[in-house]
Amino acid sequence: MTETPVTNWPPSTRGYFAIGAERMSKSLNLGNLMRSAHAFGASFTFTVGATYQALEARADTSKGRFHLPHYNWDSAGDMILPDGCKLVGVELIEGAIDLPSFRHPLRAAYILGPEQGSLSQELLSRCSYVVRIPTSFCVNVAMAGAIVMYDRVRSLGRFPDRPVREGGPEATLATRAKKRG
């Protein structure tokens, strides 16, 4: 199978977004999150209360730190977002909005909880919204970030509607008949 070059990437979306995590302690998770943020077209990344080890971000093979700003805030009180940017918590808690039902703000900063814990009450109180990924249990913080960014790009990007039947939007009755035959 030959690989077709991607010509419409990144997808044109309105607004901007950033993604970060609170009390990040594993550099590989931060590196993966930064790499995914770079790939999905984030405007910046950030951490709140991260340990020194996490700031090394060794797994960022795309070198996102050279292509988009990264902010390190010591506490939630130190965090300063652009005017109009809504903080969206990502946490598996009661009362959170299921991600597939969430309409993303045009200007958003998504904040994930630490690897072995939850978002602090101080940060939760600053969130305009809290969303949850509909899973049975928590997933890796970098994986959760990638899921949220994919959902944002999918819902705000200018993609054709998904077809009612399986396959892509270019599938026609003739191609479907050919595949069955």
Side-chain angles (χ1 to χ4, degrees):
M1 185 171 156
T2 61
E3 196 170 308
T4 308
V6 178
T7 57
N8 62 343
W9 194 258
S12 58
T13 59
R14 297 175 307 158
Y16 63 85
F17 77 95
I19 194 155
E22 182 184 30
R23 300 186 321 273
M24 181 77 85
S25 62
K26 295 184 173 44
S27 62
L28 290 177
N29 281 339
L30 179 59
N32 284 331
L33 184 64
M34 290 173 77
R35 183 173 195 265
S36 295
H38 184 205
F40 279 111
S43 297
F44 63 93
T45 59
F46 63 94
T47 54
V48 177
T51 65
Y52 178 76
Q53 178 188 0
L55 300 179
E56 296 169 8
R58 283 176 248 154
D60 178 18
T61 57
S62 74
K63 307 290 187 241
R65 66 185 178 277
F66 297 123
H67 304 285
L68 60 149
H70 179 81
Y71 300 98
N72 299 305
W73 290 299
D74 291 331
S75 69
D78 294 334
M79 187 170 60
I80 300 171
L81 295 174
D83 287 341
C85 183
K86 295 190 176 172
L87 188 61
V88 179
V90 180
E91 192 62 77
L92 193 59
I93 58 172
E94 190 74 31
I97 303 165
D98 284 327
L99 184 60
S101 301
F102 180 64
R103 174 140 340 250
H104 295 267
L106 288 179
R107 296 170 301 206
Y110 301 93
I111 180 84
L112 301 132
E115 291 93 343
Q116 295 177 354
S118 299
L119 285 171
S120 67
Q121 196 55 51
E122 184 181 10
L123 260 174
L124 283 171
S125 67
R126 290 193 59 182
C127 291
S128 297
Y129 306 99
V130 178
V131 298
R132 59 182 253 139
I133 299 168
T135 57
S136 302
F137 50 86
C138 292
V139 295
N140 173 280
V141 69
M143 173 66 72
I147 292 168
V148 169
M149 289 183 282
Y150 170 81
D151 189 76
R152 178 185 175 85
V153 168
R154 174 67 185 105
S155 64
L156 293 180
R158 294 188 171 99
F159 295 98
D161 288 339
R162 290 188 182 193
V164 175
R165 296 178 183 220
E166 65 184 43
E170 71 283 342
T172 63
L173 289 176
T175 20
R176 279 192 229 111
K178 192 176 185 180
K179 288 179 182 178
R180 282 183 280 186

